[in-house]
């Protein structure tokens, strides 16, 4: 595997983890202020803490390996927060639908990266992605267990969010 491809992987994963943190920030900005939402806020806060751990790891890799972060960072910052806040304003189940959609796409993304890393190109990165993929799958499962699929228009919402994730992934790999 080329060094360039490894850099793309780290760049896009860094961008994705940043976006995930911002989605949860948006959700917490809503749920943290609404009485009666303490359980949902705690659930979102737990997932956010794991995403912050992921982001911290990729922040370090970006610096250690001298990789240029995506130029779309400011856009993903605003888009992630907005997506999180809007879905939270739609209700708990809609926020969970957002999480399920995003984490489904990230699980697939990480699975594809693991397939590429099978040849031992970067065992440390592979181990990181395996661990983070498990966390993302747990987030998806938590969202589904908490009513994501009960959201009115769930299928369409999920498709739109997943499409947006795929666009962000492709753009962040290159730019």
């Amino acid at each position: 595997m080329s060094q360039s491809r490894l850099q793309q992987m780290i760049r896009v994963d860094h961008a994705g983890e940043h976006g995930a943190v911002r989605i949860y920030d948006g959700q917490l900005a809503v749920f943290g202020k609404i009485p009666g939402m303490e359980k949902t806020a705690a659930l979102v806060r737990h997932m956010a803490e794991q995403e912050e751990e992921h982001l911290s790891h990729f922040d370090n890799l970006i610096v250690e390996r001298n990789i240029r972060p995506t130029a779309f960072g400011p856009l993903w910052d605003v888009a992630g927060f907005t997506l999180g806040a809007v879905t939270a304003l739609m209700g708990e189940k809609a926020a969970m639908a957002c999480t399920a959609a995003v984490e489904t796409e990230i699980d697939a993304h990480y699975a594809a990266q693991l397939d590429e890393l099978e040849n031992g190109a970067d065992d440390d990165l592979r181990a990181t992605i395996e661990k983070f993929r498990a966390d993302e799958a747990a987030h998806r499962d938590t969202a589904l267990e908490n009513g994501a699929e009960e959201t009115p228009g769930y299928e369409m919402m999920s498709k739109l969010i997943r499409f947006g994730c795929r666009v962000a992934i492709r753009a962040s790999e290159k730019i």
Side-chain angles (χ1 to χ4, degrees), residues 56-72:
S56 177
H57 185 83
F58 281 111
D59 278 342
N60 290 335
L61 280 179
I62 287 276
V63 171
E64 288 170 9
R65 297 188 186 198
N66 196 28
I67 298 170
R68 176 189 49 78
T70 181
F72 289 113

Side-chain angles (χ1 to χ4, degrees), residues 18 22 70-80:
H18 179 76
R22 293 301 289 154
T70 181
F72 289 113
L75 176 61
W76 302 155
D77 187 59
V78 172

Side-chain angles (χ1 to χ4, degrees), residues 15-94:
E17 297 300 347
H18 179 76
V21 166
R22 293 301 289 154
I23 289 169
Y24 288 125
D25 285 347
Q27 290 178 348
L28 287 170
V30 174
F31 293 136
K33 292 181 177 36
I34 300 175
M37 293 288 182
E38 293 83 9
K39 179 183 175 242
T40 300
L43 184 66
V44 170
R45 194 170 294 108
H46 172 72
M47 292 187 287
E49 288 168 358
Q50 288 181 314
E51 298 296 354
E52 287 169 5
E53 174 191 326
H54 300 177
L55 177 58
S56 177
H57 185 83
F58 281 111
D59 278 342
N60 290 335
L61 280 179
I62 287 276
V63 171
E64 288 170 9
R65 297 188 186 198
N66 196 28
I67 298 170
R68 176 189 49 78
T70 181
F72 289 113
L75 176 61
W76 302 155
D77 187 59
V78 172
F81 186 90
T82 301
L83 179 61
V86 167
T87 57
L89 287 167
M90 293 170 63
E92 294 168 283
K93 291 182 186 341

Side-chain angles (χ1 to χ4, degrees), residues 7-16 109 113 168-169 172-173:
Q7 289 175 351
Q8 285 178 346
M9 285 181 170
I10 293 168
R11 177 182 306 109
V12 71
D13 293 350
H14 176 258
H109 167 72
Q113 285 187 337
I169 287 168
S172 294
E173 280 179 332

Side-chain angles (χ1 to χ4, degrees), residues 154-165:
Y154 172 77
E155 288 297 324
M156 180 58 71
M157 182 180 183
S158 180
K159 286 179 183 179
L160 286 171
I161 292 170
R162 290 184 66 189
F163 175 76
C165 288

